[in-house]
């Protein structure tokens, strides 16, 4: 490989990236549950090791953390469904509020344009069939996605059990890929990957909890309806870097708008979300996940978009831990170290155009980048 021309080496690397994306895109229904199961298995490892240390039989040592995970997920689903049921019970009032807002919007449009209220109604009626057709396609697509979700969730416990049960085989397989001289670096990369995934996913669970409590609790004290539903939706969407926070703000504003005839609650919701997010980004999250690999903003957003196109919502959520693992691997491989630099958020302290030392694959002084 070292004797090949530089253009050939780089072409092989780019073809490898294209091949990996293609495989993920084609086999997403098979690969994404396995990747998610692998990440969850890393989080459950401490419980598994604790059980093994106390002489618990291996099968039971694996089943106990899986059952614990199921209880936690079941509690989250129950909490979310209870909040949605409150929203559904309030539907008649929501419909009345929506009609009031639509009437106000129609009057505002009439004042700034030549379209009268009657012309606006005619336009809506004319396009109603198209809207119903789109809604039908969306509903059928959602049904397919829901059935796929049940298969996805149903396979997860099985994959997690098998990954934990056969983890030593997987480790032996990884070590056999490399020369014996490289095994210490491989071992270091495995430990760091485990630490990063564990810190990242546990940190996200803690983040979802306190974001829900902070946003939902503050809004409830102020008197905003469906406060905890807004809180839990924003907390989960906030897991998607950059894009999720924007969607969470939009959904929070819409839910507030439908439950009130005034605009001040919307401003209040957006203000509370902004304050909590500032507290999360600058104080809480850096201390909770202080040792995670730093990925630059460009590749964070790009990863979310590519992950979403490949595997939908699951791809968006898994994009960051996947990129973090790739960065750990790249940083410890001389051949691919430049890719680790490209993904990272540590900018060179000096311009590589002026200072030759910053062009080499050696540790250099850096300055912080733009962190979420």
């Amino acid at each position: 490989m070292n004797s090949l021309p530089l253009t050939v080496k780089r072409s092989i690397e780019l073809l490898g990236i294209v091949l990996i994306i293609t495989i993920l895109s084609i086999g997403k229904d098979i690969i994404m549950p396995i990747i998610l199961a692998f990440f969850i298995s890393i989080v459950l490892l401490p419980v598994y090791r604790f059980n093994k240390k106390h002489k618990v039989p291996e099968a039971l040592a694996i089943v106990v953390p899986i059952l614990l995970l199921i209880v936690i997920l079941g509690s989250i689903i129950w909490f979310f469904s209870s909040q949605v049921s409150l929203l559904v019970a309030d539907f008649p009032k929501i419909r009345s509020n929506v009609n009031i807002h639509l009437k106000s919007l129609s009057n505002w449009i009439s004042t700034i344009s030549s379209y009268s209220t009657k012309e606006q109604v005619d336009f809506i009626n004319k396009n109603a069939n198209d809207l119903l057709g789109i809604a039908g396609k969306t509903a059928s697509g959602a049904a397919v996605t829901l059935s796929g979700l049940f298969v996805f969730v149903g396979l997860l416990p099985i994959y997690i059990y098998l990954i934990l049960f056969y983890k030593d085989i997987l480790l032996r397989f990884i070590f056999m890929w490399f020369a014996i001289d490289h095994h210490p670096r491989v071992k270091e990369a495995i430990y760091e990957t485990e630490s990063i995934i564990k810190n990242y996913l546990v940190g996200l669970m803690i983040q979802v909890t306190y974001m829900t409590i902070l946003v939902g609790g503050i809004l409830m004290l102020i008197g905003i309806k469906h406060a905890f539903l807004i809180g839990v939706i924003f907390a989960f969407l906030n897991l998607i870097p950059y894009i999720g926070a924007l969607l969470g703000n939009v959904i929070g504003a819409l839910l507030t708008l439908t439950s009130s005839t005034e605009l001040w609650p919307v401003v209040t919701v957006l203000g509370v979300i902004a304050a909590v997010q500032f507290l999360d980004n600058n104080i809480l999250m850096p201390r909770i996940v202080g040792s995670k690999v730093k990925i630059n903003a460009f590749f964070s957003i790009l990863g979310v978009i590519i992950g979403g196109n490949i595997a939908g919502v699951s791809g968006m959520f898994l994009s960051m831990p996947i990129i973090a693992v790739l960065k750990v691997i790249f940083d410890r491989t001389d051949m691919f170290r430049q890719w680790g630099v490209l993904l990272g958020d540590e900018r060179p302290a000096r311009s590589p155009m002026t200072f030759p030392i910053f062009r080499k694959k050696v540790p250099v002084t850096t300055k912080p980048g733009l962190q979420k």
Side-chain angles (χ1 to χ4, degrees):
M1 185 72 176
N2 291 331
S3 61
L4 294 174
L6 182 63
T7 53
V8 176
K9 290 181 184 179
R10 298 300 169 256
S11 297
I12 292 173
E13 290 175 14
L14 293 173
L15 285 173
I17 294 172
V18 172
L19 181 61
I20 290 172
I21 294 176
T22 303
I23 291 173
L24 287 173
S25 182
I26 294 174
K28 60 186 177 184
D29 294 332
I30 299 172
I31 297 173
M32 295 311 293
I34 295 174
I35 294 176
L36 182 58
F38 169 74
F39 287 153
I40 295 175
S41 300
I42 297 293
V43 176
L44 298 181
L45 263 179
V47 182
Y48 167 75
R49 288 170 178 159
F50 177 84
N51 291 337
K52 289 289 291 180
K53 183 180 178 181
H54 289 78
K55 309 300 182 183
V56 177
E58 187 169 16
L60 187 60
I62 298 173
V63 170
V64 168
I66 294 176
L67 290 177
L68 182 63
L69 175 68
I70 291 172
V71 170
I72 293 172
L73 291 177
S75 302
I76 293 172
I77 293 170
W78 170 82
F79 177 77
F80 186 76
S81 61
S82 65
Q83 295 300 311
V84 172
S85 65
L86 293 175
L87 181 67
V88 173
D90 208 24
F91 186 75
K93 189 173 181 181
I94 290 174
R95 185 171 59 182
S96 174
N97 290 336
V98 169
N99 288 333
I100 292 173
H101 289 303
L102 288 176
K103 185 176 179 181
S104 300
L105 179 63
S106 176
N107 293 334
W108 178 73
I109 292 174
S110 299
T111 59
I112 64 169
S113 68
S114 59
Y115 288 96
S116 65
T117 303
K118 183 178 182 304
E119 289 173 325
Q120 294 173 39
V121 172
D122 292 339
F123 177 81
I124 293 173
N125 291 334
K126 183 179 178 182
N127 293 277
N129 292 331
D130 293 337
L131 292 173
L132 290 173
I134 293 171
K137 290 178 182 178
T138 305
S140 61
V144 173
T145 304
L146 191 61
S147 63
L149 180 64
F150 283 123
V151 174
F152 188 103
V153 174
L155 287 173
L156 272 182
I158 299 172
Y159 285 149
I160 294 169
Y161 181 92
L162 294 175
I163 289 172
L164 290 173
F165 188 78
Y166 291 116
K167 67 181 180 63
D168 290 333
I169 291 180
L170 295 173
L171 289 171
R172 177 172 164 80
F173 169 77
I174 292 170
F175 279 111
M176 290 176 68
W177 268 82
F178 301 92
I180 295 175
D181 294 341
H182 295 158
H183 283 185
R185 294 172 68 182
V186 174
K187 185 177 179 180
E188 182 186 352
I190 291 173
Y191 276 130
E192 187 168 348
T193 299
E194 178 186 334
S195 175
I196 285 167
I197 293 172
K198 197 186 307 175
N199 288 343
Y200 184 78
L201 294 182
V202 172
L204 291 186
M205 287 189 287
I206 296 172
Q207 184 189 35
V208 166
T209 303
Y210 70 66
M211 289 286 278
T212 301
I213 293 172
L214 283 176
V215 174
I218 293 172
L219 293 180
M220 186 180 69
L221 290 174
I222 294 173
I224 302 298
K225 296 199 69 174
H226 312 300
F228 276 103
L229 180 60
I230 294 171
V232 73
I233 289 175
F234 179 79
F236 276 100
L237 286 175
N238 192 55
L239 300 182
I240 303 173
Y242 304 99
I243 300 172
L246 178 62
L247 291 174
N249 276 276
V250 172
I251 293 175
L254 290 176
L255 281 174
T256 309
L257 200 62
T258 56
S259 60
S260 173
T261 57
E262 300 175 326
L263 289 178
W264 73 263
V266 177
V267 178
T268 303
V269 168
L270 294 178
V272 169
I273 288 176
V276 172
Q277 195 172 19
F278 177 83
L279 181 69
D280 170 62
N281 291 342
N282 295 280
I283 299 174
L284 298 176
M285 203 57 181
R287 285 166 172 75
I288 294 171
V289 196
S291 61
K292 71 182 177 67
V293 170
K294 295 179 180 178
I295 308 299
N296 67 62
F298 178 76
F299 279 97
S300 296
I301 297 173
L302 189 62
V304 168
I305 294 172
I306 293 174
N309 281 311
I310 291 175
V313 176
S314 61
M316 297 175 77
F317 280 108
L318 292 175
S319 60
M320 287 302 290
I322 289 174
I323 294 173
V325 171
L326 288 175
K327 182 170 175 13
V328 170
I329 296 170
F330 292 154
D331 285 343
R332 277 156 183 75
T333 309
D334 290 334
M335 187 182 301
F336 302 117
R337 190 167 295 170
Q338 64 273 13
W339 292 100
V341 172
L342 183 65
L343 295 176
D345 198 45
E346 298 85 10
R347 299 180 298 159
R350 297 287 186 273
S351 171
M353 296 294 290
T354 308
F355 297 88
I357 187 63
F358 290 95
R359 305 170 195 166
K360 300 178 181 179
K361 294 183 181 180
V362 295
V364 296
T365 54
T366 60
K367 53 186 176 180
L370 177 64
Q371 282 292 299
K372 177 181 176 290

